[in-house]
Amino acid sequence: MMFFANAGIPMIALTLPPMVLLIIPVILIEFWVARKRIVCETNRRKLVSLTVANLLSTFIGWPIAWILCTIASLLVTSGGEAYGLESPFGIFMSVVVQAPWLVPYEEDLIWMIPVAMVVLMIPFFFVSVFSERWILYFFLKNETRQNIRSLTFRANLWSYAFLIIALITAFLSSSTLG
């Protein structure tokens, strides 16, 4: 089997490990949001439900979202064509459209990777909201669907804001150290 250094960077390999490390704070943030929104369930039931929902959306939802984004990117870019970083169009195509699988412009990866991570947070957010909603429908049968819809959207707004702040903080601290 042969590997090529210029084959690109599958961003799932760079996004999933930090999300696994941050899963506990994410669950706690979403539990904090749910504490008053879900009134007819026990705190233990809320915490277990949110934990299962977040674990499934992280380990199943994110990879599925990444695969779909990668396929869409390959279709839009004619199989992953390199656009270069010399123009605004090239930057947009190389970092935003190709965010799931970056073309390895080695000297620019220091900024491309965090930007691609933030770009990928958008589809990951919607997959999290959608998948967690369906899981909570199952676990929190006494809650209205409207209440669960509102909860999953608000809770994920808070947790994704935390994730983006954590990402930016990590990027800034690593760029000042290195």
Side-chain angles (χ1 to χ4, degrees):
M1 180 176 269
M2 183 180 286
F3 293 98
F4 296 99
N6 63 349
I9 300 168
M11 289 298 294
I12 192 75
L14 298 178
T15 56
L16 200 52
M19 296 314 116
V20 170
L21 291 174
L22 295 172
I23 193 80
I24 291 174
V26 164
I27 292 167
L28 293 175
I29 288 167
E30 293 189 13
F31 176 72
W32 176 76
V33 174
R35 75 193 189 288
K36 292 187 180 175
R37 295 198 177 284
I38 304 294
V39 292
C40 59
E41 300 286 343
T42 66
N43 281 334
R44 183 173 189 271
R45 181 84 172 164
K46 286 180 218 179
L47 186 58
V48 168
S49 301
L50 289 165
T51 300
V52 170
N54 275 282
L55 288 172
L56 290 175
S57 72
T58 299
F59 289 107
I60 296 172
W62 276 40
I64 289 171
W66 176 79
I67 289 167
L68 294 175
C69 289
T70 302
I71 291 168
S73 173
L74 290 171
L75 291 173
V76 168
T77 63
S78 303
E81 176 181 342
Y83 289 89
L85 302 173
E86 293 77 37
S87 69
F89 176 77
I91 292 170
F92 177 78
M93 293 300 288
S94 298
V95 183
V96 175
V97 174
Q98 293 178 324
W101 200 298
L102 290 177
V103 174
Y105 298 107
E106 278 103 27
E107 62 281 351
D108 293 295
L109 289 177
I110 189 73
W111 66 267
M112 289 175 66
I113 289 172
V115 170
M117 284 178 157
V118 170
V119 167
L120 287 171
M121 291 288 184
I122 298 166
F124 290 170
F125 168 84
F126 288 105
V127 165
S128 293
V129 169
F130 181 77
S131 62
E132 289 172 23
R133 178 179 296 163
W134 285 100
I135 294 163
L136 292 180
Y137 286 158
F138 175 77
F139 275 97
L140 304 176
K141 295 187 186 310
N142 294 332
E143 281 299 321
T144 67
R145 288 183 173 247
Q146 177 58 37
N147 203 17
I148 291 174
R149 279 194 300 272
S150 173
L151 167 67
T152 54
F153 188 79
R154 288 176 192 254
N156 277 284
L157 278 178
W158 281 98
S159 62
Y160 273 78
F162 163 74
L163 292 173
I164 290 171
I165 290 168
L167 172 66
I168 291 169
T169 302
F171 171 71
L172 292 175
S173 64
S174 71
S175 64
T176 58
L177 295 175

